[in-house]
């Protein structure tokens, strides 16, 4: 019985972690979609300035996505040169 509880607890922990990871990926995907509406460098820089002093995990995720969006905006310009 004790062995069964250990396995059951391990199983519960693993399934909870998988569920949390899926939810986290879905949240990041939704955030990327929402931030994709900022289409110009000026719009992206304005949003980055608005969250400049925020130290939250969410703000860090927004920064990473917006910085990637800036890179993607600049890439065609670099290729055209």
């Amino acid at each position: 019985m004790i062995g069964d509880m250990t396995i059951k607890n391990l199983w519960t922990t693993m399934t909870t972690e998988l569920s949390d990871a899926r939810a986290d990926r879905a949240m990041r995907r939704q955030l990327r979609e929402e931030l994709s509406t900022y289409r110009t460098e000026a719009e992206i820089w304005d949003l980055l300035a608005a969250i400049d002093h925020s130290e939250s995990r969410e703000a860090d995720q927004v920064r990473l996505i917006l910085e990637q969006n800036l890179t993607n905006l600049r890439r065609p310009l670099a290729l055209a040169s």
Side-chain angles (χ1 to χ4, degrees), residues 7 18-19 35 41 47 49 54 57 63-64 70 73-74 78:
I7 292 171
L18 285 172
S19 179
L35 292 173
E41 286 193 36
L47 187 52
S54 180
R57 179 176 178 229
R63 279 187 204 94
L64 287 172
L70 277 173
L73 277 174
R74 292 176 179 154

Side-chain angles (χ1 to χ4, degrees), residues 4-21:
D4 290 340
M5 289 299 290
T6 302
I7 292 171
K8 185 176 182 178
N9 289 342
L10 178 62
W11 180 258
T12 300
T13 300
M14 288 173 45
T15 57
T16 300
E17 288 176 3
L18 285 172
S19 179
D20 290 348

